[in-house]
Amino acid sequence: MKKKMFNFQPRHWSIRWKLTSMAMLTTAVALFMAIVGNAVYEYVMLRDTIRTQQDMLCEMIGGNSTAAIAFNQAEDATSILSTLRFNSSIRAACIYDGNGTLLAKYVASANELKCPDHPKPEGSRFSANAIETHRTVKLDGKPVGTIYIRSDLRDLYSHLSLYAWISPLILLAAFGTGLLLIRRLQRSVSTPIVALAETARCVSQKNDYTLRAVNPGDDEIGELAEAFNHMLDGIRQRDELIHTHLKELRSARDELEARVEERTADLKHANQNLQAEMEHRQEAERKRAEMQANLVEASRKAGMADVATGVLHNVGNVLNSVNVSTQIVHDAVKGSHVGTLAKAAEMLQQHSQDMATFLAEDPKGKTLPTFFGKLATALAHEHDAILKEIDGLASNIGHIREIVAMQQSLSKVSGVATEVSLGDLIEDAIKINSAGLSRHNVTIERDFDPKTPLVVDRHKVLQVLINVISNAKYAVGGSLERVRKMRIKGRVEDKMLRIAVIDNGVGISPEQMTRIFAFGFTTKKTGHGFGLHSSALAAKELGGSLKAFSEGPGKGATFTLEIPIVKEEAHVS
Amino acid sequence: MKHRRGILLAAILGLGALNVAAAQTRADAALEQQVKSAFVLNFLQFVDWPEGTLGKADEPLIVGVVDGAGPWESLNAALDGKTVKGHKVVVKRLSAGAIGKCQVLVTGNLDGPDLEAVIKSLGTASVLTIGDSSRFTSAGGVIAFYLEDQKVRFEINLAAAQRAQLQISAKLLKLARVVNK
């Protein structure tokens, strides 16, 4: 059956209907089987009876006709057969002699089938609507002939048809009675179950666990009802427990929520503070960066000014010499004996007609050769002096060019290691500071091998050295020492270049020492606190360091630049 | 042997089924004789001898044929060697003057004083007498053949049978013309 056909599916039926249908089905099946069985039994028994009757008839006819057969007396045999007419179900009867030849026959009606031409072996055979019996007739134990009788089965069929009519009536009657009985009897089973189901439905619909099923008795349904009630008790108890727990949980949750809110507020506050702090710090950072940028810019400008000052100072010094030389040349040319030569020449022109006379006779003329000799000596002397001054001038102008070229080379962008000798490197640094050094009358003691070859970032090293020498210059300048001196020591050891600038200047106090490389620290009136800071950074960029050492104020100081030259050497080789 | 005899019997019975009239029209006396021989064998089956007459099982049932009774070859062929009621049938030719021990006596064409003498000689002995004579029963014989509508019929003398203490089956009587002489 399909699931949609709700009514036909027994599992959807009510208990009452199930019980009824079960009982009725059982009754119907049992009755049906009984009826069918009985019909089969009746049929078999009737057939048996008919067969027996037929056998008896054959036996009787056979006995009666033995002599007739033996003596071949057809009339007698026929007359014996004619007695069969009283039995309406016999349709035909025949007697055969020992050879199977028909001796006598009887037929119930003219349209009846004829006797078979030859008898068959002894026995009864049922066909659809007839029974045929052959019976051998014996005389003194020997077969002498055969009796054949054919009967229709009208008795059998009439009996069966009667049965077929009565059976449904019996079935109906039994079914009706059964229905009445089961309707009454099934109540004892279905009513308690239906009641229990009703209670369960009420409980589930109303969610009322206080309802209880009525116990119908001590059978299984009673046990079920009891178990159900017990279960309801359990559910109710659990319900109450859950209710209590739920209440506790709810209050705990509320408390937790309050705490969380409180905590959240705290955190929010803290967060706000943090935010403000951060903004504050960012602002400070920004300001600091701005300041630094400003400072860097200022120091760059200042540095440029320093460089410019140095250049101008140096150039100015040279220009003094140039100026002096120029004055000397000017004076020399101004006081030249060229005018006297011109007067002598004029004199000679006037006496061009009588040159010989004039030179020989005139007193003035007579002095002229001597005069020319002396003049030549004076002019030669003058020429030498001027030439010497012009040489000095050229040298000074070359110096100026050199200074300018140095400045240009320093301002080149670097970062690339170049080949340079230790002497050139240190001399360049000194040369930049030469004006200041000579002004402060500082003696420089050179303690290095100028020919030591190096491959370094010249600009960065120079930047550090210039700065350190400049600082030393100021340190010794401010010192009370009578002899202002500075020692520059350069060594290459263990693939490290170390250049130490040692002065006998003002020295560094321990508290200054801690901040000496810090940005913005300065002791100079016009300082920016940028020089050492940037020098230290440059040293670090070179992969080395810049260290300061001082025994204390007034005891001088030593700045040591230490950078590796490993890579550079490898590069060079 | 047995098989051949069966065929022979069947042939005889089959011939018996034929119309006797047809046999007569063909004037075949031999056929009539054969039918009668078959009848004789049948008679033996429907007649009960008094106890002890037939003797023990291994004793033969003697069918005697009186000299001058006519052709008896067919009778010999029909009966000799057959078994009736557990006894072997033996056909014997007997002299009319000295009828020895027998259970059946066929007199055949014997008639007149000879017949009467023979029957008389038997007395009340349990001997089934069979004959062709029209006066056979009157002479005291038990079963006599006669022709009716050209068919072989027989007459039974019930009184003679009772005298000889022979029980004749009702079935046989039903077929016969019964007389009491």
Side-chain angles (χ1 to χ4, degrees):
Chain A
M1 294 282 167
K2 282 177 184 172
K3 199 177 179 181
K4 281 177 185 175
M5 297 175 79
F6 170 80
N7 282 336
F8 292 102
Q9 249 189 352
R11 62 191 173 96
H12 295 303
W13 295 353
S14 70
I15 287 275
R16 201 170 290 169
W17 183 226
K18 269 182 194 166
L19 280 172
T20 307
S21 52
M22 250 155 53
M24 292 326 290
L25 189 67
T26 312
T27 310
V29 168
L31 268 173
F32 182 75
M33 285 179 72
I35 284 168
V36 167
N38 205 29
V40 170
Y41 176 76
E42 284 281 330
Y43 177 73
V44 171
M45 288 307 285
L46 271 172
R47 271 172 64 120
D48 213 44
T49 307
I50 288 170
R51 192 206 304 265
T52 311
Q53 281 177 355
Q54 190 101 332
D55 282 352
M56 274 166 62
L57 269 176
C58 281
E59 187 73 44
M60 215 170 75
I61 299 293
N64 283 339
S65 59
T66 313
I69 294 166
F71 292 99
N72 218 28
Q73 301 300 313
E75 292 88 349
D76 292 292
T78 307
S79 77
I80 291 165
L81 285 181
S82 68
T83 56
L84 292 172
R85 67 183 180 275
F86 296 108
N87 189 331
S88 64
S89 66
I90 292 170
R91 308 311 298 165
C94 316
I95 295 175
Y96 300 87
D97 66 16
N99 295 322
T101 310
L102 186 64
L103 184 66
K105 67 170 184 176
Y106 159 80
V107 286
S109 58
N111 56 357
E112 198 63 46
L113 283 167
K114 286 180 186 170
C115 288
D117 289 341
H118 296 289
K120 287 177 184 167
E122 199 173 41
S124 294
R125 290 168 194 86
F126 278 94
S127 61
N129 46 21
I131 174 170
E132 293 178 308
T133 305
H134 290 84
R135 186 100 188 159
T136 306
V137 181
K138 284 175 181 170
L139 185 59
D140 194 26
K142 288 166 197 135
V144 291
T146 307
I147 307 292
Y148 165 82
I149 294 179
R150 184 170 72 240
S151 299
D152 60 18
L153 299 174
R154 68 178 64 173
D155 278 358
L156 177 65
Y157 288 128
S158 66
H159 203 92
L160 285 179
S161 69
L162 183 67
Y163 197 84
W165 276 106
I166 289 171
S167 296
L169 293 176
I170 293 170
L171 199 64
L172 269 177
F175 210 73
T177 316
L179 198 63
L180 285 174
L181 270 173
I182 193 63
R183 277 177 73 100
R184 194 157 277 280
L185 292 175
Q186 50 96 13
R187 279 180 205 158
S188 67
V189 176
S190 67
T191 309
I193 291 177
V194 169
L196 190 59
E198 184 64 22
T199 310
R201 201 173 56 78
C202 278
V203 168
S204 71
Q205 271 184 356
K206 297 176 186 167
N207 269 332
D208 184 358
Y209 295 106
T210 56
L211 287 173
R212 288 294 175 271
V214 180
N215 193 338
D218 288 336
D219 60 357
E220 289 89 338
I221 300 169
E223 280 174 26
L224 195 65
E226 207 172 309
F228 181 71
N229 286 344
H230 191 70
M231 209 163 69
L232 283 178
D233 284 342
I235 289 172
R236 210 177 119 190
Q237 280 172 8
R238 206 167 301 167
D239 230 25
E240 280 168 4
L241 207 65
I242 287 169
H243 206 65
T244 316
H245 280 247
L246 211 64
K247 217 182 264 177
E248 283 172 14
L249 268 171
R250 226 172 254 156
S251 73
R253 193 197 60 193
D254 288 349
E255 201 178 320
L256 206 66
E257 266 178 11
R259 265 194 224 166
V260 166
E261 258 171 42
E262 204 177 304
R263 194 86 185 122
T264 309
D266 282 358
L267 281 172
K268 210 176 274 173
H269 188 65
N271 200 23
Q272 277 171 355
N273 284 352
L274 214 64
Q275 190 97 20
E277 178 80 3
M278 249 162 71
E279 278 169 11
H280 188 68
R281 283 196 187 174
Q282 275 171 356
E283 178 66 15
E285 177 70 18
R286 199 179 55 73
K287 274 184 184 163
R288 201 183 67 77
E290 196 179 313
M291 204 161 75
Q292 185 167 359
N294 286 344
L295 274 169
V296 167
E297 181 62 20
S299 89
R300 198 178 62 80
K301 279 177 185 168
M304 276 168 69
D306 271 356
V307 170
T309 308
V311 169
L312 288 178
H313 193 92
N314 292 341
V315 171
N317 281 353
V318 180
L319 275 179
N320 276 342
S321 307
V322 169
N323 206 24
V324 170
S325 298
T326 311
Q327 194 63 52
I328 289 168
V329 171
H330 182 263
D331 288 351
V333 172
K334 204 179 179 179
S336 176
H337 297 86
V338 175
T340 321
L341 186 59
K343 278 177 191 168
E346 197 181 332
M347 209 180 288
L348 282 174
Q349 251 177 326
Q350 282 170 2
H351 298 282
S352 58
Q353 304 298 319
D354 52 346
M355 187 64 73
T357 316
F358 178 67
L359 284 173
E361 296 182 12
D362 196 276
K364 275 184 185 177
K366 280 184 199 171
T367 61
L368 270 177
T370 314
F371 171 74
F372 274 121
K374 282 182 181 173
L375 187 63
T377 309
L379 280 174
H381 191 76
E382 208 177 83
H383 178 258
D384 285 347
I386 289 169
L387 203 64
K388 190 190 169 193
E389 280 310 315
I390 285 172
D391 278 349
L393 207 57
S395 159
N396 278 332
I397 286 166
H399 194 190
I400 289 168
R401 194 191 300 130
E402 214 173 294
I403 288 163
V404 171
M406 170 98 63
Q407 183 56 40
Q408 278 169 344
S409 77
L410 277 179
S411 56
K412 270 184 197 160
V413 177
S414 72
V416 183
T418 50
E419 215 168 322
V420 67
S421 72
L422 183 59
D424 284 352
L425 196 64
I426 295 174
E427 289 305 335
D428 277 350
I430 293 168
K431 215 174 270 174
I432 292 291
N433 284 299
S434 63
L437 289 169
S438 58
R439 189 169 63 236
H440 289 294
N441 200 20
V442 181
T443 313
I444 293 177
E445 190 182 324
R446 290 170 171 80
D447 178 11
F448 52 82
D449 178 4
K451 289 194 177 63
T452 308
L454 297 169
V455 178
V456 290
D457 183 342
R458 184 167 167 271
H459 169 66
K460 281 221 170 79
V461 176
L462 264 180
Q463 186 192 337
V464 176
L465 287 179
I466 289 167
N467 194 264
V468 171
I469 291 168
S470 169
N471 279 351
K473 178 183 75 188
Y474 281 108
V476 293
S479 160
L480 298 171
E481 289 284 334
R482 203 164 37 80
V483 184
R484 293 167 174 176
K485 66 173 182 180
M486 178 190 302
R487 190 157 75 93
I488 299 176
K489 185 179 168 186
R491 293 285 186 281
V492 174
E493 291 168 342
D494 300 336
K495 290 165 184 173
M496 296 292 280
L497 169 65
R498 284 192 192 81
I499 300 173
V501 177
I502 307 146
D503 67 65
N504 60 348
V506 293
I508 308 161
S509 69
E511 52 119 8
Q512 282 172 332
M513 187 67 84
T514 57
R515 299 183 290 138
I516 197 149
F517 293 112
F519 177 78
F521 174 81
T522 184
T523 53
K524 289 180 230 167
K525 263 193 289 181
T526 59
H528 304 289
F530 178 71
L532 274 177
H533 178 68
S534 65
S535 296
L537 285 179
K540 200 176 268 181
E541 278 171 33
L542 289 165
S545 61
L546 178 64
K547 284 170 185 160
F549 172 77
S550 176
E551 289 182 3
K555 292 186 175 171
T558 302
F559 283 85
T560 309
L561 172 67
E562 196 176 62
I563 53 169
I565 53 166
V566 179
K567 280 182 187 172
E568 285 73 15
E569 262 188 359
H571 177 73
V572 167
S573 66
Chain B
M1 278 297 281
K2 208 170 185 179
H3 188 60
R4 200 183 288 169
R5 243 185 277 152
I7 293 169
L8 194 64
L9 179 66
I12 290 162
L13 286 172
L15 287 168
L18 292 171
N19 203 322
V20 177
Q24 277 187 338
T25 49
R26 276 182 274 146
D28 197 343
L31 185 62
E32 189 192 323
Q33 206 59 45
Q34 280 176 8
V35 171
K36 284 178 181 170
S37 299
F39 272 35
V40 170
L41 182 61
N42 282 340
F43 291 152
L44 303 186
Q45 327 245 15
F46 291 98
V47 174
D48 284 330
W49 278 263
E51 221 166 307
T53 312
L54 293 180
K56 290 176 186 169
D58 54 347
E59 283 177 43
L61 193 155
I62 298 161
V63 177
V65 181
V66 180
D67 279 335
W72 64 284
E73 287 76 14
S74 67
L75 193 70
N76 196 28
L79 294 179
D80 198 42
K82 293 280 183 335
T83 305
V84 174
K85 298 180 198 293
H87 296 273
K88 208 174 172 188
V89 177
V90 174
V91 180
K92 274 184 179 173
R93 182 166 282 267
L94 302 172
S95 161
I99 303 294
K101 190 192 173 185
C102 65
Q103 281 80 33
V104 179
L105 183 67
V106 178
T107 57
N109 298 329
L110 212 61
D111 206 349
D114 293 343
L115 178 65
E116 285 171 11
V118 167
I119 289 171
K120 208 162 215 169
S121 71
L122 292 173
T124 58
S126 295
V127 175
L128 177 65
T129 50
I130 302 166
D132 284 322
S133 168
S134 55
R135 294 191 293 112
F136 184 71
T137 49
S138 306
V142 181
I143 300 175
F145 289 113
Y146 71 93
L147 289 173
E148 187 187 85
D149 299 337
Q150 297 175 327
K151 278 183 185 173
V152 178
R153 311 289 301 224
F154 53 90
E155 190 182 59
I156 293 173
N157 185 354
L158 210 53
Q162 281 168 352
R163 276 198 297 273
Q165 293 174 296
L166 294 171
Q167 292 269 317
I168 294 176
S169 165
K171 295 170 187 171
L172 190 62
L173 291 174
K174 214 168 141 194
L175 297 175
R177 189 171 69 194
V178 180
V179 294
N180 260 312
K181 290 174 182 170

